[in-house]
């Protein structure tokens, strides 16, 4: 089946084929680690997780690079304000970022390069741009000359006006109206961290960081490059200019951008004071799976409005999925194989694949899952399936979950929960209800809720 993805560069859905057979090389712009990432950031990282998992479902091996921006204007500002080193600012947030990725069940990328560990690669790239006459030195800084790169503006469909083309900006972030030459290397400023370089002491601009790290790990031409839509200009436009001017090769074959997580009509952003971190929501008692469900529930190219009602709904959807899964795992009946089951499973699997193949249509994928549950639940409740049938359904559900990532597997990590449940069962058998209540309370405190059913005790995370 053909996978079709919307390429922002062409503004069209295109059939996807990687440059190297069966291997897909993706660069994903990572977090700027000067604070906790907010759930808007995680919407983008979860879209990238969906992309990665879908590519794998379609049989590709994925090599993904996600950089950590651990030096830029914002981090330096934070370090100067608190009179501490860059590392003091970034280390706790890098740790928190990886914890959050685990909590949200994001599959790890193959590489997480840090900008501060790739300064030589950046200097090398800047050197090539100077040699080719696409960059110029001014004082101790180096700027990219956008007039030397005629395709400049093709990604964001914007062009510099004549009088703007000869001005330059030091800041990494600016609006389309300010389109201009931009800094590759910024001359050292009093009190700021710096690195020695052939152009004098200074530090890299944000855009050169991503070009250098992307090409270092993935080669001159990448299959896919992703980020939030706010990264398209100037960040990705500048990445194209730097990389292609240096190599003469196409930098990225497919550009994918996700739309924003919004709050009451405005983009969620730290600077707007309307953001929530993952930790804020977990502290309010929401489950990580419901947050994952909510943040992936709209198509990645449409804005998604964040509300607590939406999160409550997501919690209900996730509970239905978990209950269905646990019902399958605990199924006791054993009738003949159901004649209609194989056809139904094939149909729902095809629906899932067709939906994802169409530019990651997540609503279609979710509806394939919920239809599957509606098909199977009556038979499960009436005991009208064989154990072989149930194993087939579990297999299909797990294959859906390779992409959706919503199931709570009761694996070895949960052994301690099962051990306590077993101890509680023993206590109840000998009518030691004070001990059994004590165990229930202990589990509740650890976020585990028990439900006693006719089939035995079930547990779920709160
Ligand atoms: P930053 O840490 O600011 O570099 O952002 C990390 C990623 O999150 C980038 O790909 C941004 O485009 C993305 N991003 C920032 N704000 C939002 C938002 N409100 N919704 C979705 N993605 C966002
Ligand atoms: Zn980037």
């Amino acid at each position: 089946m053909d996978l079709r993805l919307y390429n922002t560069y062409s503004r069209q859905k295109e059939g996807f084929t990687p440059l190297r057979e069966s291997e897909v090389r993706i660069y994903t712009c990572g977090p700027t680690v000067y604070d906790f990432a907010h759930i808007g950031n995680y919407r983008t990282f979860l879209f990238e997780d969906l992309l990665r998992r879908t590519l794998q479902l379609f049989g590709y091996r994925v090599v993904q690079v996600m950089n950590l921006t651990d030096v830029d204007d914002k981090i330096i500002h934070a370090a100067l304000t608190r009179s501490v080193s860059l590392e003091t600012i970034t280390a706790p947030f890098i740790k928190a970022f990886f914890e959050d990725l685990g909590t949200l069940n994001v599959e790890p990328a193959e590489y997480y390069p840090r900008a501060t560990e790739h300064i030589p690669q950046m200097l090398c790239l800047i050197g090539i741009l100077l040699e080719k006459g696409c960059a110029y030195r001014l004082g101790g800084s180096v700027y990219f000359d956008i007039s030397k790169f005629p395709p400049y503006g093709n990604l964001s469909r914007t062009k510099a006006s004549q009088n703007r083309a000869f001005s330059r900006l030091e800041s990494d972030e600016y609006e389309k109206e300010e389109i201009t030459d931009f800094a590759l290397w910024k001359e050292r400023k009093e009190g700021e961290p710096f690195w020695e370089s052939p152009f004098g002491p200074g530090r890299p601009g944000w855009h050169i960081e991503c070009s250098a790290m992307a090409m270092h790990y993935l080669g001159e031409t990448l299959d896919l490059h992703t980020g939030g839509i706010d990264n398209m200009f100037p960040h990705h436009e500048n990445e194209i200019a730097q990389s292609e001017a240096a190599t003469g090769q196409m930098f990225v074959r497919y550009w994918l951008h996700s739309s924003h997580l919004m709050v009451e009509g405005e983009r969620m952003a730290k600077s707007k004071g309307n953001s929530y971190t993952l930790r804020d929501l977990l502290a309010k008692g929401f489950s990580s799976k419901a947050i994952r469900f909510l943040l992936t529930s709209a198509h990645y190219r449409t804005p998604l409005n964040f509300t607590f009602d939406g999160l409550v709904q997501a919690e209900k959807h996730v509970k239905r999925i978990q209950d269905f899964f646990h019902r399958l795992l605990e199924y006791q009946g054993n009738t003949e194989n159901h004649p209609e089951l194989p056809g139904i499973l094939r149909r729902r699997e095809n629906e899932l694949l067709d939906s994802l193949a169409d530019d990651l249509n997540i609503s279609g994928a979710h509806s394939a899952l919920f239809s599957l549950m509606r098909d199977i639940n009556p038979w499960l409740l009436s005991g009208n399936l064989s154990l072989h049938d149930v194993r087939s359904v579990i297999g299909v559900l797990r294959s859906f979950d390779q992409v959706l990532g919503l199931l709570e597997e009761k694996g070895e990590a949960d052994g301690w929960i099962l051990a306590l449940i077993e101890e509680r069962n023993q206590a109840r058998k000998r009518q030691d209800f004070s001990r059994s209540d004590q165990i229930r309370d202990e589990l509740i405190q650890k976020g585990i809720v028990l439900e006693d059913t006719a089939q035995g005790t079930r547990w779920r995370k709160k």
Side-chain angles (χ1 to χ4, degrees):
M1 191 179 302
D2 283 345
L3 179 58
R4 292 177 68 73
L5 297 171
Y6 184 88
N7 187 348
T8 320
Y9 200 90
S10 65
R11 307 288 195 274
Q12 276 175 7
K13 279 187 201 169
E14 297 176 11
F16 174 77
T17 43
L19 203 52
R20 297 180 190 160
E21 203 188 338
S22 78
E23 184 185 86
V24 181
R25 287 161 303 127
I26 314 181
Y27 188 84
T28 45
C29 284
T32 309
V33 282
Y34 70 108
D35 205 336
F36 291 107
H38 56 68
I39 54 169
N41 301 133
Y42 286 119
R43 179 183 187 198
T44 291
F45 301 139
L46 281 166
F47 138 67
E48 288 154 353
D49 186 53
L50 178 68
L51 173 65
R52 175 190 169 88
R53 287 165 176 262
T54 300
L55 288 162
Q56 290 176 159
L57 190 73
F58 281 78
Y60 295 114
R61 196 170 85 80
V62 172
V63 183
Q64 182 190 358
V65 176
M66 177 177 279
N67 71 296
L68 302 176
T69 302
D70 61 351
V71 52
D72 87 332
D73 295 351
K74 286 186 245 178
I75 299 171
I76 290 178
H77 178 72
L80 290 182
T81 312
R82 287 176 45 197
S83 304
V84 294
S85 69
L86 288 183
E87 233 242 311
T88 309
I89 297 288
T90 58
F93 298 118
I94 291 176
K95 181 166 172 282
F97 176 65
F98 285 115
E99 284 168 5
D100 287 359
L101 291 185
T103 305
L104 285 171
N105 197 15
V106 173
E107 272 194 8
E110 279 61 32
Y111 301 98
Y112 290 100
R114 298 175 186 203
T116 51
E117 291 170 4
H118 294 78
I119 304 287
Q121 288 84 349
M122 297 170 204
L123 293 177
C124 175
L125 193 53
I126 297 171
I128 295 172
L129 290 170
L130 279 167
E131 226 168 78
K132 293 201 165 184
C134 301
Y136 56 91
R137 294 168 71 159
L138 196 76
S141 296
V142 183
Y143 291 90
F144 186 89
D145 180 349
I146 59 171
S147 71
K148 297 285 166 53
F149 187 70
Y152 192 88
N154 280 357
L155 174 68
S156 54
R157 307 257 165 121
T158 169
K159 287 281 168 210
S161 67
Q162 285 300 327
N163 48 352
R164 266 283 171 197
F166 302 105
S167 60
R168 65 195 65 78
L169 268 176
E170 208 205 284
S171 163
D172 287 329
E173 291 182 73
Y174 47 93
E175 302 299 322
K176 281 187 183 176
E177 298 70 49
E178 299 173 278
I179 187 168
T180 183
D181 292 353
F182 57 90
L184 300 170
W185 187 256
K186 303 181 183 189
E187 182 176 10
R188 177 189 178 187
K189 280 199 194 126
E190 193 55 41
E192 288 195 354
F194 66 95
W195 286 262
E196 293 299 342
S197 87
F199 338 109
R203 63 181 176 95
W206 172 39
H207 316 298
I208 199 76
E209 295 182 4
C210 280
S211 283
M213 288 187 278
M215 292 198 286
H216 177 69
Y217 287 92
L218 299 172
E220 292 179 350
T221 301
L222 331 178
D223 291 307
L224 288 156
H225 192 317
T226 66
I229 192 72
D230 56 298
N231 280 168
M232 181 165 63
F233 185 88
H235 186 48
H236 292 162
E237 197 70 79
N238 293 354
E239 276 189 50
I240 295 175
Q242 299 159 153
S243 312
E244 297 193 355
T247 67
Q249 304 295 319
M250 179 187 228
F251 176 45
V252 169
R253 300 173 62 239
Y254 303 84
W255 283 96
L256 268 61
H257 290 100
S258 59
S259 190
H260 284 143
L261 186 67
M262 314 289 287
V263 188
E264 289 166 7
E266 272 209 288
R267 169 186 161 194
M268 183 177 285
K270 192 107 248 163
S271 57
K272 294 187 200 288
N274 63 358
S275 63
Y276 292 96
T277 66
L278 178 61
R279 286 134 202 268
D280 293 335
L281 300 186
L282 294 173
K284 287 183 192 292
F286 293 102
S287 73
S288 59
K289 292 287 162 43
I291 299 167
R292 180 181 169 98
F293 184 94
L294 179 75
L295 293 177
T296 50
S297 62
H299 188 264
Y300 74 90
R301 283 189 291 113
T302 35
L304 170 63
N305 200 37
F306 173 76
T307 62
F308 281 98
D309 279 352
L311 200 45
V312 169
Q313 288 309 317
E315 202 74 71
K316 286 184 187 155
H317 290 309
V318 166
K319 183 172 182 325
R320 273 180 61 204
I321 299 166
Q322 306 288 9
D323 285 351
F324 177 66
F325 182 48
H326 293 155
R327 219 169 281 139
L328 285 166
L329 292 178
E330 290 154 13
Y331 185 75
Q332 303 281 334
N334 195 4
T335 57
E336 295 291 298
N337 290 347
H338 199 296
E340 288 172 45
L341 185 73
I344 284 189
L345 293 183
R346 244 191 331 272
R347 183 163 152 214
R348 300 306 177 204
E349 275 182 306
N350 285 338
E351 280 172 10
L352 179 96
L353 288 172
D354 285 346
S355 304
L356 293 170
D358 179 19
D359 192 33
L360 314 180
N361 173 1
I362 190 70
S363 313
H366 281 158
S367 89
L369 171 62
F370 285 107
S371 302
L372 176 79
M373 286 162 45
R374 262 197 307 276
D375 296 334
I376 308 292
N377 253 329
W379 298 336
L380 208 51
L381 294 171
S382 61
N384 224 349
L385 292 170
S386 69
L387 283 180
H388 175 268
D389 287 338
V390 166
R391 274 198 293 274
S392 307
V393 182
I394 291 174
V396 170
L397 193 59
R398 286 209 170 108
S399 81
F400 277 35
D401 204 58
Q402 278 172 19
V403 178
L404 302 176
L406 297 169
L407 295 182
E408 294 283 356
E409 295 274 1
K410 293 186 180 179
E412 283 172 22
D414 297 320
W416 63 274
I417 302 174
L418 301 180
L420 279 177
I421 291 176
E422 180 52 23
E423 198 195 324
R424 178 169 169 270
N425 288 342
Q426 296 305 322
R428 280 173 12 134
K429 262 193 203 146
R430 42 167 215 276
Q431 306 210 327
D432 181 355
F433 296 114
S434 94
R435 175 64 188 144
S436 83
D437 288 349
Q438 198 182 17
I439 293 174
R440 177 189 280 273
D441 292 346
E442 193 182 325
L443 284 165
I444 283 176
Q445 272 176 19
K446 291 182 171 145
I448 306 297
V449 182
L450 299 184
E451 272 171 30
D452 294 316
T453 72
Q455 284 80 35
T457 304
R458 301 213 309 232
W459 66 269
R460 63 183 166 80
K461 294 204 170 128
K462 206 161 40 170

